[in-house]
Amino acid sequence: MGDAFIRHIELLGYEKRFFPSQHYVYMFLVKWNDLTEKVIYRRFTEIYEFHKTLKEMFPIESGDINIENRIIPHLPAPKWFDGQRSTENRQGTLAEYCYMLVNLPHKISRCLHVVNFFKVRHDDMNPVTDSLIKKPEVFLLPKDSKKNPTDITGPIVLQTYRAVADYEKRSTSEMALQAGDMVDVVEKSENGWWFCQLKNKRGWVPAAYLEPMDGPDESEEQEPNYAGESYVVQKSYTAMEEDELTLKEGDTIQVIHKLLDGWWVIRKEETTGYYPSMYLQKAGEVNTSMKSELWNRSAPPRRSTIRNAKSIHKQGRKQISQETYRRNSKKYIQSQKKANAIIEKNEPQENRAMAQPAVPPRPSKDVILNRCTESTRRRIL
């Protein structure tokens, strides 16, 4: 495949650590050319030293010779003391810096200095911790702020979820779980794979294996929308269960219920069933590289297929039966057909009401002589 290079660097947020002393590290999701994704942690002082070396390696592009030729982005020097406020406020600048860095000419963005700095280190996978000191506190960038780094509203503390059953990982990017494990969710993806961390382990976990601590998670799911949203199938899938649908690439369907485990209820004509959301794309949207990355990961397990699941909550999640989906979906389709039929039926009447009246025939000479006035009779004489 050739030399490794970075396709994208995304700032996820920052982490407050307490060992060996209190300090802050930034979290980056690094996407490589082999479609792997790695989360790394770097102090700002490390990033600034990396930046200084990069400028020395490329003096022309850094503006040392002529300031007008500078293309390497600016990065402010670290403060004498970096507290939480300065760490938080610097996120916008750092997110923009990473975006510009990856988009520099290849001789800079793909040089060994850049590649080696963003490679996963041993400390990224196994950070030095002390069991007697409280675990790190993690703060995430809001989703909207990633689109516009200047509009950062503040940190978001990670949510803690519990594993309801054992899960054996299937790839190096995933993380194994045991029933009862408490994990912090870093990123929730609508495809049903959530990026989590457990002590010194991090990786993708099926959302179906996780439950919130405060009760069933129906509140996080949208209500069914039987009107449906148009989506296009990006990857074919053959049904493995009776309530799933088999579709081909290019098929157009309607999504009527988006579920957290990444298996959405869809409608194809009058048939409904489950389908992996990661293989769907909203109609009208341009295909993205993210979709091709997801193809390399299999569809996550469904909640209903998990065996020996043990919840700590007395009240389980409310589940809608497939028959209910079918019945309500057919009811909606029938109501739409009736509405369209009424419109078509009323349309000719409206057209007739708007039509011009017919021109009456010209009266005969005898009628004019017998019924019209004297002046009118003179005109025909």
Side-chain angles (χ1 to χ4, degrees), residues 97-370:
Y97 177 85
C98 292
Y99 173 80
M100 296 178 66
L101 178 66
V102 174
N103 287 280
L104 289 175
H106 291 177
K107 68 175 183 178
I108 304 176
S109 62
R110 300 185 182 184
C111 71
L112 284 178
H113 180 58
V114 174
V115 171
N116 291 335
F117 181 76
F118 288 98
K119 278 185 177 179
V120 176
R121 303 172 182 170
H122 178 74
D123 292 345
D124 295 323
M125 304 300 296
N126 301 285
V128 180
T129 58
D130 187 334
S131 59
L132 300 179
I133 301 178
K134 62 180 181 178
K135 67 177 183 178
E137 297 176 1
V138 183
F139 301 84
L140 293 183
L141 272 173
K143 285 288 184 183
D144 292 342
S145 67
K146 295 176 184 178
K147 299 177 182 177
N148 187 359
T150 59
D151 296 335
I152 294 177
T153 57
I156 300 176
V157 181
L158 298 186
Q159 292 179 286
T160 300
Y161 280 71
R162 175 185 175 276
V164 298
D166 295 345
Y167 175 73
E168 294 294 333
K169 66 179 184 178
R170 304 172 186 174
S171 67
T172 56
S173 63
E174 298 178 20
M175 182 173 67
L177 293 176
Q178 291 184 346
D181 282 346
M182 309 292 290
V183 301
D184 293 324
V185 178
V186 177
E187 179 181 350
K188 292 181 179 180
S189 177
E190 65 179 10
N191 61 44
W193 288 101
W194 291 1
F195 194 82
C196 304
Q197 62 179 18
L198 172 62
K199 296 180 180 178
N200 59 350
K201 297 188 301 180
R202 298 173 183 86
W204 295 98
V205 173
Y209 278 77
L210 303 175
E211 67 175 358
M213 298 302 297
D214 54 355
D217 52 357
E218 297 94 346
S219 60
E220 296 187 48
E221 293 181 341
Q222 302 177 14
E223 292 294 323
N225 173 22
Y226 293 101
E229 294 181 67
S230 293
Y231 277 74
V232 178
V233 177
Q234 296 294 302
K235 184 178 180 181
S236 302
Y237 173 78
T238 303
M240 304 295 290
E241 303 289 337
E242 292 182 359
D243 54 1
E244 298 174 0
L245 290 184
T246 297
L247 297 176
K248 297 180 180 179
E249 182 178 343
D251 286 349
T252 300
I253 52 88
Q254 301 292 319
V255 173
I256 61 177
H257 200 184
K258 298 179 179 180
L259 302 176
L260 290 176
D261 63 358
W263 286 82
W264 291 355
V265 183
I266 67 172
R267 180 176 65 224
K268 176 66 174 176
E269 296 176 351
E270 293 190 0
T271 305
T272 64
Y274 292 99
Y275 199 83
S277 64
M278 62 193 302
Y279 298 155
L280 300 174
Q281 180 171 284
K282 198 164 188 178
E285 288 187 355
V286 179
N287 197 4
T288 61
S289 58
M290 180 60 70
K291 285 294 178 183
S292 61
E293 294 174 25
L294 294 176
W295 291 358
N296 295 324
R297 189 181 300 136
S298 60
R302 289 174 53 189
R303 293 185 187 273
S304 59
T305 62
I306 301 176
R307 298 180 179 179
N308 303 321
K310 297 179 181 179
S311 173
I312 60 173
H313 306 297
K314 294 181 180 179
Q315 181 182 1
R317 298 180 72 258
K318 297 178 183 178
Q319 295 184 355
I320 302 177
S321 67
Q322 193 60 218
E323 180 58 34
T324 303
Y325 285 126
R326 291 193 183 98
R327 183 172 61 251
N328 290 336
S329 190
K330 288 181 179 179
K331 188 185 300 183
Y332 173 82
I333 294 175
Q334 290 172 358
S335 65
Q336 289 297 105
K337 288 182 178 179
K338 289 180 180 178
N340 292 335
I342 293 173
I343 293 174
E344 292 176 359
K345 184 178 180 181
N346 293 336
E347 186 175 358
Q349 296 177 358
E350 294 175 359
N351 290 341
R352 285 196 297 271
M354 297 295 293
Q356 296 295 327
V359 178
R362 179 179 177 84
S364 65
K365 181 177 180 181
D366 295 337
V367 172
I368 296 174
L369 291 174
N370 294 328

Side-chain angles (χ1 to χ4, degrees), residues 46-100:
E46 294 181 272
I47 301 171
Y48 187 71
E49 290 301 320
F50 156 82
H51 172 68
K52 288 201 304 182
T53 304
L54 188 68
K55 289 174 59 181
E56 294 172 358
M57 293 173 59
F58 301 96
I60 297 176
E61 290 80 2
S62 65
D64 289 345
I65 299 175
N66 187 346
I67 192 63
E68 294 180 355
N69 294 329
R70 176 161 189 164
I71 58 175
I72 294 178
H74 291 272
L75 192 66
K79 297 181 179 180
W80 181 78
F81 173 77
D82 271 337
Q84 181 165 341
R85 177 174 295 182
S86 58
T87 302
E88 177 184 335
N89 293 339
R90 195 188 288 124
Q91 290 180 108
T93 302
L94 200 51
E96 186 176 1
Y97 177 85
C98 292
Y99 173 80
M100 296 178 66

